């Protein structure tokens, strides 16, 4: 009898794991064939070899690039070096990257580990750069003022909060105001693995301001990139492991109401129209995370490897 019980439990255990394993593989969807869609004028950007996880292009063509992310379980080609913010001027004929100096008395550049970034431009045209960083694999938001003449970032503030434990990306709505994604619920690495494997979908989106911090959307299976429509009325959230983009309406009181969900798997079958402008099977780029365009030019970044510049 005892043997039977053990075998039954073992069987149930195996079924549980097989079930979760197959759904895990579908959520990850890593082994699949990618059909190439080529662009004629692309080249790898010199000086980016350790990732460009996020980037943002200002309306004047200046691009900020977050480089050198270290993230648990992700490869790093320079594990002992801190990350950096690069600047690229897309108005130039043959644009190159320049590392922005970081200044400020309370800022420790040696543990800077930049992830998602976002800019905010105020009424007098001062540009602020907000950066998710993971010093010692914790989560902070570093607030900088961009000093264009000096080609530097003046560090103003480090933001930490208990509702911001596992930051991935953010979108600024003010100098110290933003929406941010937490890609996991748990902080502990062991619990994070189970959370991911079981597909608990406990990841969320938080609104932060100096006097009001709250969860504004939750229940995501790895909330990842977040951005805003050009008219700043809508917020887009990428739910990575569900292969969805959520569209939310943003209200004056900063709450978000869900409008629609774009299922990326069926992009060819459904409205709105989605065009694949570039696709590549891994010969050039590994693990691309971001792309942005400016006047017929496109930048594509990756988690831990290279970045691409294309003209079209
Ligand atoms: C993975 O993605 C491809 C392309 O989007 C899709 O056709 C396929 O069904 C997906 N596989 C799984 C296991 O979900
Ligand atoms: C926020 O604004 C929206 C739209 O005006 C409203 O429906 C909602 O009740 C408000 N929520 C709070 C918490 O004030």
């Amino acid at each position: 009898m005892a043997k039977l019980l053990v075998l039954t439990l073992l069987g149930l255990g195996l079924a549980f794991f097989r079930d979760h394993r197959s759904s895990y593989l579908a959520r990850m969807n890593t082994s699949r064939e990618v059909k190439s869609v080529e662009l004629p004028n692309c080249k790898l950007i010199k000086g980016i070899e350790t990732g460009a996880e996020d980037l943002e292009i200002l309306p004047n063509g200046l691009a900020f690039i977050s480089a050198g992310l270290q993230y648990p379980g992700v490869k790093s080609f320079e594990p002992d070096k801190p990350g950096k913010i690069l600047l690229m001027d897309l108005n130039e004929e043959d644009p190159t990257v320049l590392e922005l100096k970081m200044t400020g008395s309370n800022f420790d550049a040696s543990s800077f580990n930049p992830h998602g970034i976002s800019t905010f431009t105020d009424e007098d045209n001062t540009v602020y750069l907000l950066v998710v960083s993971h010093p010692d694999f914790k989560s902070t938001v570093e607030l900088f003022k961009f000093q264009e003449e000096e080609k530097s970032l003046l560090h103003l503030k480090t933001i930490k909060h208990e509702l911001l434990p596992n930051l991935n990306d953010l979108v600024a709505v003010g100098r110290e105001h933003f929406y941010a994604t937490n890609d996991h619920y748990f902080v502990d690495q062991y619990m994070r693995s189970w959370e991911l494997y079981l597909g608990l979908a406990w990841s969320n989106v938080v609104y932060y301001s100096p006097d009001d911090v709250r969860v504004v959307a939750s229940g995501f299976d790895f909330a990842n990139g977040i951005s805003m429509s050009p008219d700043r009325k809508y917020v887009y959230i990428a739910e990575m492991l569900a292969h969805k983009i959520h569209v939310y309406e943003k209200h004056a009181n900063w709450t978000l109401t869900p409008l629609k969900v774009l299922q990326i798997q069926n992009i060819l079958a459904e409205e709105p129209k989605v065009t694949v402008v570039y696709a590549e099977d891994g010969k050039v780029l590994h693990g691309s995370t971001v792309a942005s365009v400016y006047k017929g030019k496109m930048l594509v970044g990756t988690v831990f490897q290279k970045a691409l510049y294309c003209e079209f």
Side-chain angles (χ1 to χ4, degrees), residues 144-216:
F144 297 96
K145 184 174 145 190
F146 175 50
Q147 302 180 307
E148 191 172 347
E149 307 287 284
E150 297 93 327
K151 301 273 186 286
S152 71
L153 293 170
L154 173 63
H155 183 258
L156 300 177
K157 197 168 181 175
T158 296
I159 296 168
K160 286 184 219 170
H161 194 275
E162 58 181 8
L163 288 181
L164 307 172
N166 293 299
L167 293 176
N168 186 304
D169 193 18
L170 81 176
V171 60
V173 292
R175 185 176 173 270
E176 282 179 58
H177 308 64
F178 54 83
Y179 292 101
T181 54
N182 282 303
D183 57 26
H184 289 74
Y185 173 84
F186 291 108
V187 174
D188 176 75
Q189 196 49 48
Y190 178 76
M191 294 303 288
R192 282 161 68 104
S193 308
W194 278 105
E195 177 185 354
L196 205 65
Y197 184 70
L198 296 175
L200 297 181
W202 287 359
S203 142
N204 67 15
V205 176
V206 170
Y207 168 72
Y208 179 94
S209 70
D211 42 30
D212 177 21
V213 189
R214 54 191 140 112
V215 174
V216 287

Side-chain angles (χ1 to χ4, degrees), residues 20-175:
H20 273 282
R21 192 176 150 70
S22 70
S23 85
Y24 182 70
L25 290 178
R27 284 160 62 235
M28 288 291 168
N29 200 344
T30 42
S31 38
R32 70 186 134 112
E33 205 172 319
V34 174
K35 278 211 191 78
S36 286
V37 175
E38 287 174 18
L39 285 173
N41 294 308
C42 290
K43 57 181 175 191
L44 290 166
I45 301 171
K46 276 203 190 80
I48 301 184
E49 304 286 341
T50 59
E53 206 274 345
D54 200 10
L55 60 91
E56 183 164 319
I57 308 175
L58 293 175
N60 66 9
L62 285 183
F64 294 101
I65 300 172
S66 151
L69 173 68
Q70 320 256 355
Y71 188 88
V74 174
K75 178 159 184 68
S76 169
F77 286 115
E78 280 185 343
D80 305 321
K81 283 216 180 142
K84 52 200 172 187
I85 302 294
L86 306 171
L87 185 72
M88 193 169 184
D89 184 353
L90 296 180
N91 301 297
E92 286 171 11
E93 187 78 23
D94 191 8
T96 53
V97 292
L98 175 145
E99 181 177 345
L100 288 173
K101 285 191 293 278
M102 291 184 288
T103 57
S105 49
N106 288 321
F107 181 61
D108 174 20
S110 70
S111 63
F112 187 53
N113 186 6
H115 199 167
I117 63 174
S118 181
T119 63
F120 179 77
T121 306
D122 72 10
E123 314 82 57
D124 59 10
N125 268 333
T126 306
V127 175
Y128 296 93
L129 183 70
L130 288 79
V131 182
V132 168
S133 179
H134 301 293
D136 304 320
F137 296 113
K138 296 187 175 72
S139 283
T140 63
V141 171
E142 306 297 341
L143 172 65
F144 297 96
K145 184 174 145 190
F146 175 50
Q147 302 180 307
E148 191 172 347
E149 307 287 284
E150 297 93 327
K151 301 273 186 286
S152 71
L153 293 170
L154 173 63
H155 183 258
L156 300 177
K157 197 168 181 175
T158 296
I159 296 168
K160 286 184 219 170
H161 194 275
E162 58 181 8
L163 288 181
L164 307 172
N166 293 299
L167 293 176
N168 186 304
D169 193 18
L170 81 176
V171 60
V173 292
R175 185 176 173 270

